């Protein structure tokens, strides 16, 4: 890691506007298994202090005009862009994604700050025509208050800004618990937010014991909203913890995305889309294509072209520009990928390519292509979160729609086809919060990101993302 501004690499927690804590927890890079630094192991008491300070700061911040809040966010955005290379270096070092993907994530993360800087000025209310002559009815929007966020390791910058930017834009405060694997990205963003003039106490980034910090964030009656991105299992647990004081929740949870290729699809486009949707971040994305369904009439052609495209993917050192696939994040992630591949093979899948740890060793895994998949295999039921393309075959539209929906998850789905009537039919039938039609990339700051069923509650990004941090207030005035 080579930083121009070494002060962005913070090893203390950002506690209510000041850097505190004795670094003691080792953070290990998946790139080469080296310890890259330490962060403090804070707990419930520090979390409670952050919440108390956030409540005071939020009261003042809510009174600041939307235009002023927007100006602060815009300054933060400009600092992120100005320090983009250093931020990308930190992401690659602690998370392992290829440097070209880390650079793209910096731009993606910054886009949310810019977007919500603009949306801060658009939290419009309503005037409702009254059914009574002597009354006037108004709806206003007010900030929720103190918010908490728990973010994942796979997008350690973007998942922070996608939550923090709308919270600040709406007039809220935020206490953030980043993933234990990737704290340095969040701490760097806090440093830049401080430089941008975000008021002291309004933002905290606290590292340490996830269970005790999470419990305090859920139990505190002063925290009025929790936003979490992670597994469905943990999301359910947090939802249960928040239930006693009826917190507002945003939950972006697990996925099991189908990727459907119909008989009339543009095969080259479908293969390119599958590579994007499957192998970005080594398959470690919540919207990653997990089940690839291909019509039997074009199955063999698609598999052949996909195998050729996969053969061109370069597994290597994440800091090299030519690298397409870096390491998995940790040993548990590697073991899960190995388990899913072996389970498929044991149940009759055909191994076209890959299937083993890469020659680079450590946490690197070969791009793997499996065919003859069935619904009885683990890959059909669970997220693999690794560079494994599993191809199923189908004959009829109704059949593949039913297969695609046969999961508790409902985050993202993709399909390729040219028949427009069929496209709309399938898009409406798929039980997912997001559907990519003839594209493998769907995420951006202007569209709502989120799922249904066990994939979560609420939406992030877009104009709808601001509403997650606002409460409606109805005013009835008699004259």
């Amino acid at each position: 890691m080579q930083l121009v501004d070494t002060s962005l690499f913070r090893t203390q927690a950002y506690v209510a506007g000041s850097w505190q804590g004795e670094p003691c927890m080792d953070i290990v890079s998946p790139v080469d298994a080296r310890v890259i630094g330490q962060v403090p192991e804070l707990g419930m008491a520090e979390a409670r202090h952050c919440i108390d300070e956030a409540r005071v700061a939020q009261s003042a911040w809510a009174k600041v005009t939307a235009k002023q809040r927007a100006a602060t966010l815009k300054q933060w955005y400009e600092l992120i862009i100005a320090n983009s290379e250093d931020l990308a270096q930190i992401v690659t070092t602690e998370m392992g994604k290829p440097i070209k993907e880390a650079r793209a994530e910096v731009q993606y993360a910054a886009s949310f700050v810019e977007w919500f800087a603009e949306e801060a000025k658009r939290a419009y209310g309503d005037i409702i025509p009254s059914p009574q002559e002597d009354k006037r009815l108004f709806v206003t929007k007010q900030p929720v208050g103190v918010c908490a966020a728990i973010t994942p390791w796979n997008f350690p910058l973007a998942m922070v800004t996608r939550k923090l930017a709308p919270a600040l834009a709406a007039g809220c405060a935020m206490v953030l618990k980043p993933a234990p694997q990737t704290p340095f990205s969040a701490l760097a963003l806090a440093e830049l937010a401080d430089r941008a003039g975000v008021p002291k106490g309004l933002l905290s980034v606290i590292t340490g014991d996830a269970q005790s910090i999470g419990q305090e964030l859920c139990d505190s009656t002063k925290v009025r909203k929790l936003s979490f991105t992670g597994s469905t299992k943990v999301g359910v647990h947090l939802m249960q913890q928040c239930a006693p004081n009826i917190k507002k929740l945003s939950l972006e949870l697990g996925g099991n995305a189908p990727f459907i290729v119909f008989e009339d699809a543009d095969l080259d486009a479908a293969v390119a889309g599958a590579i994007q949707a499957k192998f970005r971040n080594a398959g470690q994305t919540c919207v990653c294509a997990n089940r690839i369904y291909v019509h039997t009439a074009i199955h063999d052609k698609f598999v052949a072209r996909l195998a050729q495209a996969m053969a061109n993917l370069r597994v290597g050192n994440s800091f090299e520009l030519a690298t397409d696939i870096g390491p998995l994040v940790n040993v548990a992630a590697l073991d899960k990928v190995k388990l899913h591949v072996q389970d498929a093979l044991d149940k009759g899948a055909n191994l076209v390519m890959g299937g083993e740890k890469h020659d680079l060793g450590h946490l690197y895994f070969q791009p793997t292509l499996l065919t003859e998949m069935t619904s009885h295999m683990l890959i059909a039921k669970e997220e693999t979160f690794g560079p494994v393309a599993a191809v199923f075959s189908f004959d009829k539209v109704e059949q593949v729609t039913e297969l695609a929906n046969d999961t508790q998850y409902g985050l993202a789905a993709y399909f390729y086809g040219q028949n427009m009537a069929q496209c709309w039919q399938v898009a409406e039938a798929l039980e997912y919060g997001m559907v990519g039609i003839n594209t493998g990339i769907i995420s951006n700051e202007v569209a709502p990101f989120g799922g249904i069923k066990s994939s979560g509650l609420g939406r992030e990004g877009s104009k709808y993302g601001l509403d997650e941090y606002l409460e409606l207030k109805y005013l009835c005035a008699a004259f």
Side-chain angles (χ1 to χ4, degrees):
M1 181 171 58
Q2 298 178 347
L3 302 181
V4 175
D5 183 355
T6 55
S7 66
L8 287 178
F9 190 75
R10 306 300 306 223
T11 58
Q12 290 181 298
Y14 189 64
V15 178
S18 65
W19 297 99
Q20 299 180 19
E22 184 65 31
C24 60
M25 296 171 58
D26 288 345
I27 306 301
V28 178
S29 173
V31 175
D32 52 18
R34 289 191 294 183
V35 175
I36 57 176
Q38 296 178 319
V39 293
E41 188 171 10
L42 305 183
M44 191 174 291
E46 292 84 1
R48 187 175 299 120
H49 172 67
C50 291
I51 293 167
D52 290 340
E53 293 298 309
R55 190 178 189 185
V56 174
Q58 191 273 325
S59 180
W61 182 244
K63 298 174 184 176
V64 171
T65 67
K67 185 175 182 179
Q68 289 173 290
R69 295 198 298 268
T72 300
L73 283 168
K74 193 63 183 293
Q75 180 62 24
W76 187 31
Y77 162 76
E78 290 172 354
L79 286 170
I80 292 172
I81 295 299
N83 293 276
S84 58
E85 183 57 29
D86 280 353
L87 292 172
Q89 292 278 328
I90 293 172
V91 169
T92 291
T93 301
E94 66 175 353
M95 190 263 137
K97 68 175 57 177
I99 188 64
K100 59 187 177 185
E101 289 191 17
R103 289 168 179 163
E105 185 184 343
V106 175
Q107 300 302 314
Y108 183 47
S111 72
F112 290 107
V113 181
E114 182 182 39
W115 171 260
F116 286 110
E118 297 161 348
E119 286 298 292
K121 297 178 285 186
R122 303 188 183 108
Y124 302 130
D126 289 296
I127 299 175
I128 301 173
S130 176
Q132 297 165 301
E133 292 182 359
D134 64 336
K135 291 182 179 178
R136 300 295 180 266
L137 314 182
F138 308 90
V139 176
T140 64
K141 293 180 180 180
Q142 294 183 327
V144 170
V146 176
C147 302
I150 302 174
T151 54
W153 50 263
N154 56 344
F155 287 88
L157 287 174
M159 297 304 97
V160 171
T161 60
R162 201 162 75 182
K163 300 177 189 300
L164 179 54
L168 295 180
C172 298
M174 177 72 82
V175 179
L176 171 70
K177 171 66 177 72
Q181 300 93 333
T182 57
F184 296 119
S185 295
L187 294 170
L189 286 173
E191 169 65 24
L192 294 177
D194 186 71
R195 295 180 192 178
V198 171
K200 303 295 184 183
L202 198 66
L203 167 64
S204 291
V205 178
I206 183 169
T207 61
D209 182 64
Q211 184 172 356
S212 62
I213 293 172
Q215 181 178 339
E216 184 62 28
L217 296 179
C218 292
D219 290 348
S220 173
T221 57
K222 296 175 183 177
V223 175
R224 296 311 311 143
K225 175 185 172 65
L226 173 70
S227 179
F228 169 72
T229 297
S231 72
T232 297
K233 180 180 179 180
V234 174
V236 169
H237 178 65
L238 293 173
M239 194 174 186
Q240 291 170 335
Q241 283 187 298
C242 289
N245 49 62
I246 318 295
K247 278 186 184 24
K248 191 169 185 176
L249 290 173
S250 293
L251 301 174
E252 197 266 280
L253 308 177
N256 187 1
F259 186 102
I260 304 168
V261 186
F262 289 108
E263 186 177 5
D264 63 342
D266 180 327
L267 275 187
D268 290 333
V271 168
I275 292 293
Q276 291 176 320
K278 175 70 256 183
F279 293 102
R280 185 166 59 104
N281 204 15
Q284 299 174 114
T285 78
C286 53
V287 293
C288 177
N290 204 60
R291 298 166 291 153
I292 302 176
Y293 294 100
V294 183
H295 194 280
T296 53
I298 57 168
H299 177 276
D300 293 349
K301 289 182 180 179
F302 177 86
V303 169
R305 295 191 193 187
L306 182 60
Q308 184 177 17
M310 288 174 57
N312 292 328
L313 293 173
R314 185 179 184 275
V315 180
N317 186 297
S318 297
F319 284 98
E320 296 178 4
L321 267 179
T323 295
D324 299 303
I325 298 179
L328 297 172
V329 70
N330 54 30
V331 173
L334 179 68
D335 288 344
K336 184 177 183 181
V337 171
K338 290 162 63 177
L339 172 65
H340 277 202
V341 170
Q342 191 58 54
D343 172 79
L345 294 176
D346 290 345
K347 294 175 180 176
N350 174 53
L351 179 64
V352 178
M353 62 186 297
E356 303 283 348
K357 284 186 65 173
H358 195 272
D359 291 342
L360 289 172
H362 187 41
L363 299 174
Y364 294 85
F365 199 84
Q366 298 172 347
T368 297
L369 177 55
L370 299 168
T371 60
E372 300 179 28
M373 298 292 296
T374 71
S375 59
H376 301 292
M377 299 170 184
L378 284 176
I379 291 178
K381 303 172 184 177
E382 303 174 3
E383 278 185 299
T384 302
F385 243 56
V388 180
V391 180
F392 302 70
S393 62
F394 74 93
D395 294 305
K396 297 180 180 180
V397 174
E398 296 78 14
Q399 174 197 15
V400 75
T401 303
E402 183 177 345
L403 289 169
N405 289 337
D406 186 22
T407 174
Q408 65 175 315
Y409 302 105
L411 187 58
Y414 310 85
F415 67 84
Y416 278 72
Q418 300 300 315
N419 183 321
M420 290 305 297
Q422 180 175 279
C423 283
W424 284 114
Q425 174 191 355
V426 173
E428 292 177 354
L430 289 171
E431 297 171 352
Y432 292 84
M434 301 175 288
V435 179
I437 304 170
N438 292 320
T439 180
I441 298 292
I442 58 175
S443 302
N444 57 65
E445 75 278 16
V446 305
F449 189 103
I452 61 175
K453 300 192 292 187
S454 292
S455 288
L457 302 168
R459 295 295 182 269
E460 294 185 321
S462 79
K463 67 176 184 178
Y464 306 104
L466 188 66
D467 287 339
E468 297 287 331
Y469 295 88
L470 294 166
E471 294 282 17
L472 292 180
K473 178 177 283 187
Y474 159 52
L475 308 177
C476 178
F479 298 98

